[in-house]
Amino acid sequence: MPPVDKLLLEETLQDSPQTRSLLSVFEEDAETLTEYTNKLLQSMQRVYGAQNEMSIATQQLSKQLLAYEKQNFALSKGDEEVISTLQRFARVVDELNSLHTELAKQLADTMIFPMIQFRERDLTEVSTLKDLFLLASNEHDAAMAKYSKLPKRRENEKLKSEVVAEVASARKKQHQTSLQYYCALNALQYRKRGAMLDPLLGFTQGQINFFKMGVEMFSKTLEDFLSSVATMVHR
Amino acid sequence: MPPVDKLLLEETLQDSPQTRSLLSVFEEDAETLTEYTNKLLQSMQRVYGAQNEMSIATQQLSKQLLAYEKQNFALSKGDEEVISTLQRFARVVDELNSLHTELAKQLADTMIFPMIQFRERDLTEVSTLKDLFLLASNEHDAAMAKYSKLPKRRENEKLKSEVVAEVASARKKQHQTSLQYYCALNALQYRKRGAMLDPLLGFTQGQINFFKMGVEMFSKTLEDFLSSVATMVHR
């Protein structure tokens, strides 16, 4: 089969076997995409969850470092130095926490949110329209079956015109539904690439910002502090 | 009370009320330190857990990106470009994963391990010696009580010498145990500062390395890749 761009809306009225066959290809693609999207979203949510947990964990660690001062150690000799050093470490952990919190927020906004939106909006729309399309097709088939079973005699003119009206109405409804369904399937193909790649752009951009800010934060001053602590501990 | 450096080992033999009172200060300090160490270790383990989880989560995300190629999408038009872009993103996530894994390893080695070692070795030793010291003190008290209840009459010379030997043995045992106990309590005071600060040096040094490597990894080349993806997605 040559590559296909989209379902042609003008084919919906005739509803030929060829069109139906092409439709089934788009439907299969949409199903595969739905399954893959769910798994990818799960993986992304796990990364986001870990990032969030890191944000909470660093916050708790900082609190715990500050809590040293409130322990009322029975022997407090030399504790002022330990307390002030722990306070400085708590500031480091706080700054790290702010980086982690910022990254978690960015991942939520630029990775998780677009992915969920794609699932809730585009994929769900296709799935809903598929149901409506099937319903309308069945109604149309039922009307057609009724029509084909009509007795040929003349005295049934009134019944006949009623069934013809029913067929026309069902056909119209099916046509409208298929127009919407085909449009949604075409839109899905159009959005597929962006839906997969945009969240990863967000993810990577978030990491770049995180590392840039991290390097700025962990400056020369901090390395000086660390060597003074190392000296203090091992003297 | 003026600041005290250590329990004097020469006081263990006399075991005066003043020495006992000073001992109780050291014991109280050791208890506070044990409680605080446990809480701090918990906070550190939560950070380490989050770091480990991030390492696993990024590994899974990379796998999921590579899995796109194996989905057999019914419509594969334009997929080569998506596949190769996802493969490039998977490499980015892989490199990020190696940084997270390295950091998790560093936190385990330089933050969690020394903290657990301090708890399992120093704090547990003090607690064990405290039990032994109490036991020896009780035995000594019991021997002393027996001695004080000895009848004053002469015919009990043999019993008396037995009890005296018992008291001497108990005192010797108590003296030896208290020597060890005092030593351990002094050592704890000496190690307290390093035990608190060394893991934080490890933690901070790990973060510095992580950010340095991260900035190197997320180089100009990657930013070029990201802008080409952005163009591709939004064209």
Side-chain angles (χ1 to χ4, degrees):
Chain A
M1 197 180 63
V4 194
D5 253 316
K6 53 182 179 181
L7 293 164
L8 296 173
L9 300 186
E10 52 269 36
E11 304 285 342
T12 51
L13 198 58
Q14 199 187 335
D15 199 20
S16 70
Q18 287 86 341
T19 307
R20 285 288 180 134
S21 158
L22 190 56
L23 173 64
S24 74
V25 176
F26 274 74
E27 285 179 326
E28 194 194 321
D29 194 84
E31 262 172 51
T32 313
L33 186 59
T34 304
E35 277 172 34
Y36 181 74
T37 301
N38 283 332
K39 280 187 202 149
L40 184 57
L41 180 56
Q42 262 179 19
S43 297
M44 288 175 168
Q45 277 171 328
R46 187 163 181 180
V47 170
Y48 171 66
Q51 188 56 50
N52 233 353
E53 171 63 12
M54 186 56 96
S55 164
I56 300 165
T58 45
Q59 196 180 22
Q60 285 207 346
L61 178 58
S62 159
K63 269 190 199 165
Q64 199 52 51
L65 297 180
L66 294 178
Y68 184 90
E69 193 182 359
K70 298 166 200 123
Q71 299 302 304
N72 291 318
F73 279 105
L75 292 162
S76 54
K77 190 172 175 297
D79 252 13
E80 307 77 36
E81 208 175 16
V82 176
I83 287 169
S84 69
T85 309
L86 287 177
Q87 281 169 345
R88 179 77 171 86
F89 273 122
R91 281 210 303 282
V92 171
V93 179
D94 275 342
E95 288 179 56
L96 187 65
N97 167 261
S98 72
L99 296 188
H100 280 300
T101 307
E102 175 63 26
L103 178 54
K105 201 187 158 301
Q106 278 192 37
L107 295 185
D109 291 347
T110 65
M111 179 174 78
I112 302 295
F113 175 70
M115 208 67 187
I116 285 180
Q117 206 181 31
F118 176 65
R119 190 178 68 172
E120 299 305 320
R121 207 176 48 189
D122 300 66
L123 295 174
T124 305
E125 192 188 10
V126 163
S127 149
T128 309
L129 286 173
K130 182 178 185 172
D131 293 345
L132 294 177
F133 175 70
L134 281 176
L135 215 64
S137 294
N138 290 342
E139 280 176 22
H140 179 249
D141 291 351
M144 285 297 284
K146 215 186 256 180
Y147 180 79
S148 67
K149 281 180 196 150
L150 275 180
K152 302 296 173 221
R153 275 172 292 163
R154 248 205 171 262
E155 65 265 32
N156 280 315
E157 269 322 308
K158 189 169 170 277
L159 175 63
K160 193 173 169 184
S161 75
E162 269 174 23
V163 172
V164 166
E166 198 180 318
V167 167
S169 156
R171 179 160 296 171
K172 192 179 169 193
K173 192 175 168 191
Q174 197 227 7
H175 182 224
Q176 282 175 340
T177 318
S178 63
L179 275 177
Q180 286 184 290
Y181 186 35
Y182 283 30
C183 272
L185 282 168
N186 285 340
L188 195 64
Q189 285 304 315
Y190 180 75
R191 292 201 189 115
K192 188 175 174 180
R193 177 202 300 249
M196 298 295 107
L197 300 182
D198 261 338
L200 290 164
L201 278 176
F203 170 84
T204 314
Q205 200 58 60
Q207 304 294 337
I208 291 178
N209 295 346
F210 175 72
F211 282 116
K212 273 187 186 163
M213 290 193 295
V215 158
E216 277 170 35
M217 189 187 115
F218 287 105
S219 59
K220 185 79 183 63
T221 331
L222 189 65
E223 305 228 15
D224 291 346
F225 163 67
L226 291 186
S227 31
S228 78
V229 174
T231 313
M232 184 178 120
V233 169
H234 302 117
R235 76 181 169 215
Chain B
M1 197 180 62
V4 194
D5 253 316
K6 53 182 179 182
L7 294 164
L8 296 172
L9 301 186
E10 54 270 35
E11 304 285 340
T12 51
L13 197 58
Q14 198 187 337
D15 197 20
S16 69
Q18 286 87 339
T19 306
R20 284 289 180 134
S21 158
L22 190 55
L23 172 64
S24 74
V25 175
F26 274 74
E27 285 180 327
E28 195 194 319
D29 194 83
E31 262 172 51
T32 312
L33 186 60
T34 303
E35 277 172 35
Y36 182 73
T37 301
N38 282 332
K39 281 188 200 149
L40 183 58
L41 180 57
Q42 263 179 20
S43 298
M44 287 174 169
Q45 276 170 328
R46 186 162 182 179
V47 170
Y48 171 65
Q51 188 55 52
N52 233 354
E53 171 62 12
M54 185 56 95
S55 164
I56 300 165
T58 45
Q59 196 179 20
Q60 285 207 347
L61 177 59
S62 160
K63 270 190 197 162
Q64 199 52 51
L65 296 180
L66 294 178
Y68 184 90
E69 193 181 359
K70 296 165 202 126
Q71 299 302 305
N72 291 318
F73 279 104
L75 292 162
S76 54
K77 187 169 175 299
D79 252 13
E80 307 76 34
E81 209 175 17
V82 176
I83 287 168
S84 68
T85 310
L86 287 177
Q87 282 169 345
R88 180 76 171 87
F89 273 121
R91 281 210 304 282
V92 171
V93 179
D94 275 343
E95 287 179 57
L96 187 65
N97 166 262
S98 72
L99 296 189
H100 280 300
T101 308
E102 174 63 26
L103 178 54
K105 200 184 160 302
Q106 277 193 38
L107 294 185
D109 290 348
T110 65
M111 180 174 77
I112 302 295
F113 175 72
M115 208 66 187
I116 285 179
Q117 206 181 30
F118 176 65
R119 190 178 68 172
E120 299 306 319
R121 205 176 50 189
D122 301 66
L123 294 174
T124 305
E125 192 188 12
V126 164
S127 148
T128 309
L129 287 172
K130 181 178 186 171
D131 294 344
L132 294 178
F133 174 71
L134 281 177
L135 214 65
S137 292
N138 290 341
E139 280 175 21
H140 177 249
D141 291 351
M144 285 297 284
K146 214 187 258 179
Y147 179 78
S148 67
K149 282 180 195 151
L150 276 181
K152 301 295 173 224
R153 275 171 292 166
R154 249 204 169 266
E155 64 264 34
N156 281 314
E157 270 321 309
K158 187 166 171 280
L159 175 64
K160 194 176 169 182
S161 75
E162 270 174 24
V163 173
V164 165
E166 198 179 317
V167 167
S169 156
R171 178 162 296 172
K172 191 178 170 194
K173 191 174 168 194
Q174 197 227 9
H175 181 224
Q176 282 175 340
T177 317
S178 62
L179 274 177
Q180 283 183 290
Y181 185 35
Y182 283 30
C183 272
L185 281 169
N186 285 339
L188 195 64
Q189 286 304 315
Y190 180 75
R191 289 198 192 117
K192 189 175 173 180
R193 178 201 301 248
M196 297 296 106
L197 299 182
D198 261 337
L200 291 165
L201 278 176
F203 170 83
T204 313
Q205 200 58 61
Q207 305 293 338
I208 291 178
N209 296 346
F210 175 71
F211 282 115
K212 273 188 186 164
M213 289 193 294
V215 158
E216 277 171 35
M217 189 187 116
F218 288 105
S219 59
K220 185 78 183 64
T221 332
L222 189 65
E223 304 227 15
D224 291 346
F225 163 66
L226 291 187
S227 31
S228 79
V229 174
T231 314
M232 183 179 124
V233 168
H234 301 119
R235 79 183 167 212

